[in-house]
């Protein structure tokens, strides 16, 4: 088991936003959290990473999260935030190098090995021509690859992605998800992502977790979770789910006029 | 081959060259006619283990070693410290206009100095003189008060609450300082002269007072230079990269503030240096703190020593307050930087 949480709860202000979530994620799998806006998907990710005060039990790679210090956590898990902060004047190379932070010593000097790791990731993500470009001067799709690159450079086992496709067009959405899928197999990564596009979620995840109002409403394979009755109730609109060449397609039903 | 952004040797050599130029000019220029060789010889003669006959008369030797040299060194130390502290604050608060003065260091130092002056404690010279000591205590106390107030209000984790607390503390301390000053009009000139900053009448004693702080605090800041680059992605992401942002911020703010307090204690309130120098370095040499911090230190030292040379030369035998000059140079320069720089605005 790569990650486990029991009765995870988060209060923000006077509201409980994550309300008793139990989750088990197997090593090497891809789990996607779906749910309406404001369901608590981002907050759940932040709680799993201990970025927000939460109660409940959390385990990573069989160890209690509370007993793992910050540097070691950063060698186990990386986050690709929905809206990353990207210092405009920083070069792509230096941005990727930030991922080596938890591996460096006291003075923060990168070794030849650290630089080589960044070189490999730049090549793998097709970012080599952009290596010396400031972050302000690359496109949305390239930025997303740079953030994923930084996470890869961290050499973690568990990769969290918050809405990795929300800022991208159709083609780039597909590219990024296929990239993540290939990286998962190549590096043996475990992926936990959030996504509000149900079709993309169903296409790429092994398992879906449907979150509504801070609670898990359904969990399981895309076939079981993408159920018209369940989705209709949580999203508050009638949907049809059709199967097309072995893939699940969710179609909201238009209201009568 | 992949390379991290780093301080290019050419920039290091160029900045050290400028510093050396300012050193020579400051030792040589002045009412007493002293040549380059003689001045450098006199300084070298004081290096332990070196014996040089500068050929200077006793008076001129004293002018070089007892007047010009300590003032020069103090100018370098104060300028270097204010600059690297400014660069640190800007990095740690991710705010291009941040400076230690915003957390109350200037107002606290000003209050401490005013108390010393109106009571006739100390004359601004000497290791244990009341004036620099009270200015030092005032600056530290003010930043400490800001810290406590901010913690009570919303935690130092919140940058906004910290800066707002700084505004409140500054306003409060400035009010007290003005009140004391107005009740003691006979010393108002002295108070103003200190507030506007001055390196005149400085001796090796002030250098000894400031030197340990400048060296130790600069070392602490430089050790954190890469962590400060990591902080530029914000606290949450920095945490996922294995950093403890609140701790880095605390350590760097304390170091920059202690260093600033020492600089203020011996040099008065010299404005703008902590803004002009780091921004110039960023525009010219790069934005990584690995570049900005060390270069700000060297360039800041050269800049302030150079301005001080100007302050004592342009209206001889009178002195122009150095803070007036840095502000006069700094303000238009700063507007120019803001106008021409896309990087800053971005
Ligand atoms: N700092 C905060 N304080 C109070 N409520 C918050 C805060 N951040 C988010 N929320 C609320 O928590 C709920 C869940 O937010 P979020 O996890 O971002 O949802 P999702 O990612 O599923 O869209 C929302 O109702 C949101 O308004
Ligand atoms: Mg979200």
């Amino acid at each position: 088991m790569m990650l486990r949480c029991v009765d995870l709860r988060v209060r923000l202000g006077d509201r409980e936003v994550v309300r008793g979530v139990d989750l088990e994620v197997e090593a090497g799998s891809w789990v996607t959290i779906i749910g309406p806006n404001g369901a608590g998907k981002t907050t759940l990710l932040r709680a799993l990473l201990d970025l927000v005060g939460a109660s409940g039990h959390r385990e990573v790679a069989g160890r209690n999260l509370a007993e793992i210090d910050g540097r070691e956590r950063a060698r186990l898990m990386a986050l690709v935030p929905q809206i990353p902060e990207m210092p405009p004047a920083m070069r792509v190379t230096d941005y990727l190098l930030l991922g080596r932070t938890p591996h460096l010593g006291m003075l923060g000097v990168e070794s030849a090995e650290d630089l080589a790791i960044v070189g490999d990731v730049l090549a793998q993500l097709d970012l080599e021509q952009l290596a010396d470009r400031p972050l302000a001067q690359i496109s949305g799709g390239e930025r997303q690859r740079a953030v994923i690159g930084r996470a890869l450079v961290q050499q973690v086992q568990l990769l969290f992605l918050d809405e990795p496709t929300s800022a991208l067009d159709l083609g780039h959405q597909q590219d990024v998800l296929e990239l993540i899928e290939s990286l998962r197999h190549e590096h043996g990564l475990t992926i936990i992502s959030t996504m509000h596009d149900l079709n993309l979620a169903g296409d790429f995840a092994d398992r879906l977790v449907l979150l509504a109002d801070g609670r898990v409403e359904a969990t399981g394979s895309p076939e079981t979770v993408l159920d018209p009755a369940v989705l209709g109730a949580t999203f508050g609109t009638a949907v049809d789910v059709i199967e097309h060449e072995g893939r699940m397609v969710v179609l909201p039903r238009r209201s009568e006029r | 081959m992949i390379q991290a952004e780093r301080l290019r040797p050419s920039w290091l050599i160029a900045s050290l060259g400028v510093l050396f130029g300012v050193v020579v000019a400051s030792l040589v220029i002045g009412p007493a006619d002293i040549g380059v060789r003689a001045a450098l010889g006199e300084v070298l003669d004081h290096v332990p283990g070196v014996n040089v006959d500068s050929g200077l008369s006793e008076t001129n030797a004293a002018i070089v070693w007892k007047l010009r040299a300590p003032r020069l060194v103090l100018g370098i130390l104060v300028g270097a410290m204010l600059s690297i502290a400014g660069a640190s604050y800007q990095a740690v608060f991710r705010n291009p206009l941040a400076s230690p003065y915003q957390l109350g260091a200037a107002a606290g130092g000003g209050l401490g100095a005013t108390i010393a002056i109106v009571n006739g404690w100390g004359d601004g010279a000497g290791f244990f003189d009341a004036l620099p000591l009270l200015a030092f205590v005032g600056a530290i106390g003010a930043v400490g008060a800001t810290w406590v107030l901010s913690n009570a209000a919303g935690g130092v984790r919140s940058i906004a609450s910290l800066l707002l607390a700084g505004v409140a503390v500054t306003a409060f301390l400035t009010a007290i300082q003005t009140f004391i000053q107005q009740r003691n009009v006979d010393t108002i000139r002295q108070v103003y002269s200190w507030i506007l900053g001055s390196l005149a009448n400085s001796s090796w004693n002030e250098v000894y007072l400031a030197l340990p702080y400048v060296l130790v605090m600069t070392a602490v800041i430089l050790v954190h230079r890469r962590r400060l680059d990591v902080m530029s992605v914000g606290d949450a992401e920095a945490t996922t990269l294995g950093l403890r942002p609140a701790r880095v911020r605390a350590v760097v703010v304390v170091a920059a503030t202690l260093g600033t307090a020492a600089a203020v204690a011996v040099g008065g309130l010299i404005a703008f240096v902590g803004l002009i120098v780091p921004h110039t370095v960023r525009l010219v040499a790069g934005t990584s703190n690995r570049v900005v911090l060390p270069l700000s230190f060297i360039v800041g030292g050269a800049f302030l020593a150079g301005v001080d040379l100007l302050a004592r030369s342009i209206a001889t035998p009178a002195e122009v307050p150095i803070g007036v000059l840095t502000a006069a140079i700094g303000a238009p320069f700063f507007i120019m930087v803001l106008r021409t720089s896309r990087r800053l605005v971005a």
Side-chain angles (χ1 to χ4, degrees):
Chain A
M1 202 59 59
M2 192 63 224
L3 178 132
R4 202 163 81 88
C5 71
V6 181
D7 197 29
L8 195 63
R9 287 169 190 276
V10 179
R11 286 197 82 82
L12 293 176
D14 52 5
R15 250 189 73 201
E16 201 172 47
V17 172
V18 174
R19 300 158 68 192
V21 169
D22 299 342
L23 199 63
E24 294 199 344
V25 178
E26 252 167 71
S29 66
W30 183 336
V31 171
T32 294
I33 301 158
I34 57 173
N37 292 329
K41 303 182 292 295
T42 297
T43 309
L44 175 57
L45 280 201
R46 290 172 59 82
L48 292 173
L49 281 154
D50 203 18
L51 294 175
V52 63
S55 72
H57 180 74
R58 282 162 294 183
E59 250 174 41
V60 178
R63 293 167 59 195
N64 187 344
L65 185 64
E67 283 156 19
I68 308 176
D69 75 31
R71 270 166 64 84
E72 207 184 341
R73 284 177 189 182
R75 293 191 298 246
L76 279 173
M77 338 186 253
L79 169 69
V80 174
Q82 180 174 8
I83 304 169
E85 299 229 21
M86 305 189 84
M90 189 179 277
R91 295 180 315 150
V92 171
T93 298
D94 292 299
Y95 186 71
L96 263 64
L97 268 167
L98 296 180
R100 293 310 291 164
T101 304
H103 299 269
L104 301 180
M106 170 75 191
L107 293 178
V109 180
E110 291 104 352
S111 67
E113 196 199 330
D114 294 312
L115 296 168
I117 290 165
V118 169
D120 289 345
V121 172
L122 283 171
Q124 191 173 14
L125 299 194
D126 206 16
L127 287 168
E128 273 171 315
Q129 334 75 264
L130 304 176
D132 291 326
R133 222 44 106 75
L135 292 172
Q137 294 172 23
I138 63 176
S139 75
E142 291 160 351
R143 286 161 74 90
Q144 188 66 299
R145 271 187 283 146
V147 186
I148 292 172
R150 187 185 75 183
L152 282 185
V153 164
Q154 269 178 264
Q155 295 187 317
V156 293
Q157 302 177 28
L158 185 53
L159 185 56
F160 291 88
L161 301 122
D162 194 7
E163 307 275 0
T165 57
S166 61
L168 304 176
D169 65 40
L170 199 72
H172 285 97
Q173 289 184 345
Q174 201 67 22
D175 288 350
V176 161
L177 293 175
E178 276 167 13
L179 171 68
I180 295 165
E181 177 68 8
S182 72
L183 295 170
R184 166 161 84 115
H185 289 296
E186 197 172 328
H187 298 269
L189 292 171
T190 306
I191 311 281
I192 300 180
S193 62
T194 70
M195 233 178 268
H196 66 261
D197 186 315
L198 300 176
N199 295 320
L200 286 175
D203 259 359
F204 284 90
D206 303 322
R207 199 153 67 84
L208 295 181
V209 175
L210 174 60
L211 202 68
D213 203 14
R215 286 209 180 88
V216 175
E217 290 295 327
T219 177
S221 67
E223 290 75 23
T224 52
V225 175
L226 297 182
D227 174 84
V230 177
L231 293 180
T234 29
F235 284 87
T237 181
V239 299
D240 292 318
V241 178
I242 53 178
E243 210 177 309
H244 174 71
E245 294 177 357
R247 295 158 69 189
M248 312 295 291
V249 183
V250 180
L251 280 174
R253 209 179 286 162
R254 287 188 63 167
S255 51
E256 307 290 333
R257 308 209 159 179
Chain B
M1 186 57 209
I2 303 293
Q3 192 135 60
E5 187 176 350
R6 70 201 166 98
L7 179 53
R8 298 218 183 93
S10 51
W11 285 118
L12 187 62
I13 291 165
S15 61
L16 287 173
V18 171
L19 179 62
F20 184 73
V22 171
V23 166
V24 172
S26 300
L27 290 174
V28 170
I29 296 173
D33 196 12
I34 298 167
V36 175
R37 287 180 121 216
L40 288 181
E42 182 61 32
V43 170
L44 278 181
D45 191 39
H46 284 85
V47 176
V50 182
N51 220 333
V52 183
D53 182 12
S54 65
L56 287 175
S57 68
E58 210 167 293
T59 319
N60 280 354
I63 287 175
V64 169
W65 186 249
K66 297 224 166 93
L67 295 178
R68 291 182 189 172
R71 182 170 179 166
L72 165 68
V73 173
L74 200 66
I76 293 173
L77 288 179
V78 169
M81 191 67 237
L82 291 177
S83 300
I84 197 171
S88 310
Y89 267 69
Q90 287 144 29
V92 112
F93 293 119
R94 300 199 297 149
N95 177 346
L97 297 177
S99 77
Y101 287 6
Q102 283 180 328
L103 298 195
L111 177 60
T114 305
I115 292 173
I117 291 169
V118 301
N119 287 305
W121 299 337
D123 51 7
F127 197 104
F128 289 113
D129 189 78
L131 204 166
L133 278 183
L134 276 183
F136 186 80
V137 170
I140 300 286
V143 177
T146 300
W147 197 273
V148 170
L149 192 62
S150 159
N151 254 330
V156 250
R157 278 166 171 276
S158 154
I159 289 168
S161 76
L162 189 61
L163 293 181
L164 285 175
V167 170
V169 168
T170 296
F172 182 67
L173 295 182
T174 306
I176 300 180
Q177 189 262 337
T178 311
F179 176 74
I180 297 176
Q181 180 185 307
Q182 296 307 328
R183 296 191 41 138
N184 298 273
V185 279
D186 48 316
T187 52
I188 214 162
R189 252 196 79 157
Q190 265 174 285
V191 170
Y192 268 114
S193 133
W194 187 88
I195 282 179
L196 294 173
S198 174
L199 296 169
N201 311 318
S202 42
S203 68
W204 288 110
N205 282 326
E206 279 81 38
V207 172
Y208 298 146
L209 175 68
L211 186 66
Y213 287 96
V214 173
L215 292 185
V216 173
M217 299 315 149
T218 298
V220 170
I221 290 168
L222 285 178
V223 164
H224 285 82
R225 66 199 183 284
R226 190 181 185 282
R227 293 190 192 95
L228 289 175
D229 281 349
V230 179
M231 298 273 284
S232 67
V233 298
D235 285 10
E237 290 186 51
T239 304
T240 69
L241 292 168
L243 216 66
R244 280 189 277 179
R247 205 177 105 143
V248 172
R249 185 170 294 122
V251 171
V252 171
V253 165
V254 167
T257 304
L258 283 173
T260 300
V264 165
V266 296
L269 304 182
I270 300 174
F272 272 107
V273 179
L275 286 176
I276 306 171
V277 174
H279 282 302
T280 308
V281 170
R282 274 187 206 105
L283 282 175
V284 177
T287 55
S288 164
N289 286 297
R290 303 178 194 212
V291 177
V292 176
L293 293 173
L295 266 194
S296 291
F297 187 81
I298 299 169
V299 172
F303 173 76
L304 198 69
V307 173
D308 186 48
L309 177 59
L310 217 58
R312 69 174 165 89
S313 313
I314 51 178
T316 34
E319 293 245 356
V320 182
I322 189 167
V324 170
L325 268 189
T326 55
I329 299 170
F333 172 90
F334 196 65
I335 291 166
M336 195 183 77
V337 168
L338 280 175
R339 281 180 61 100
T340 53
S341 148
R342 289 223 188 89
R343 274 199 205 168
L344 261 181
V345 183

